Amino acid sequence: VEGISYDANEADVEMFFSQVGKPSEVRMPRWHDSGKPRGYAHVEFQDSADAKRAIQQLNGQRMMGRYLKLELGHEKKAVRAPTDATGAVAKPPVGCSTIFVKNLPYSCDEDAIRQVMTKFGAVRDVRLAVDTSANPPRLKGFGYVHFENQSSPFKAAQAAFAGSLALSGRQLCVDYEVSAKPKGSFRRVDGKLWEETATK
């Protein structure tokens, strides 16, 4: 799908395409620094008839002020983790202890993500992106997990690559994040500016 509004999130796309059938997954690439959408998305349906119906009924329609261009996708499998030239899970950059996580359920919270991620090692902090312009504020479907150990991001990436990293029925996608701190405007779920919690 091309023409996605830069103010949209996965929930907006899912709701729009629910006119023709419930999407099983929405993947919306974002810029890592700002979290803003790149202007396109992949919408997956369980039934191919729903995908064809979307092309017929929604192609050229307006969503959040922008015209959409729809085409049937041909990708076999979503890229759920960073890979190297051989197609294997890539090793994280030196000093990396943080992962960028997307395709998160909109109803999740920091504790739920922490519970899923602790299997890879001690979690120092979880940071979820919140759309504070919405009323009420809502999650954007992505966030960051900062581990205590630098070996944990690779373990999480391996699980995501294998398709065994999920939360509330949604397969999670991860990437390595070199910076351990978010941008200054990054807000927590309660809408407050994020501040690193001191750990002992």
Side-chain angles (χ1 to χ4, degrees), residues 2-5 16 19 57-70:
E2 296 181 11
I4 296 294
S5 169
F16 182 83
Q19 300 176 63
Q57 299 182 16
L58 303 180
N59 186 40
Q61 297 297 310
R62 288 168 63 95
M63 174 187 159
M64 299 178 68
R66 299 193 67 190
Y67 290 101
L68 301 182
K69 179 181 177 182
L70 278 60

Side-chain angles (χ1 to χ4, degrees), residues 11-146:
D12 295 321
V13 176
E14 184 173 336
M15 182 179 298
F16 182 83
F17 280 89
S18 292
Q19 300 176 63
V20 297
K22 183 173 178 56
S24 58
E25 185 176 5
V26 174
R27 301 187 298 277
M28 195 158 68
R30 298 174 179 273
W31 300 109
H32 282 197
D33 57 349
S34 65
K36 286 287 188 180
R38 297 190 178 190
Y40 64 95
H42 303 278
V43 180
E44 185 173 326
F45 295 93
Q46 289 286 356
D47 191 337
S48 61
D50 291 337
K52 294 177 181 178
R53 192 178 303 113
I55 298 291
Q56 295 170 350
Q57 299 182 16
L58 303 180
N59 186 40
Q61 297 297 310
R62 288 168 63 95
M63 174 187 159
M64 299 178 68
R66 299 193 67 190
Y67 290 101
L68 301 182
K69 179 181 177 182
L70 278 60
E71 295 181 356
L72 287 176
H74 301 289
E75 56 182 337
K76 298 297 183 180
K77 184 178 180 181
V79 178
R80 304 192 188 280
T83 55
D84 58 23
T86 68
V89 179
K91 294 292 181 67
V94 176
C96 175
S97 59
T98 303
I99 57 173
F100 173 80
V101 187
K102 60 183 180 179
N103 203 38
L104 291 168
Y106 304 107
S107 59
C108 73
D109 56 25
E110 295 174 2
D111 289 338
I113 297 173
R114 184 183 295 271
Q115 185 175 355
V116 169
M117 294 296 176
T118 49
K119 69 180 71 173
F120 309 118
V123 175
R124 183 174 183 177
D125 197 46
V126 175
R127 311 187 294 274
L128 298 180
V130 179
D131 182 2
T132 56
S133 65
N135 187 17
R138 59 188 179 185
L139 297 180
K140 293 184 176 181
F142 70 94
Y144 301 86
V145 177
H146 184 187

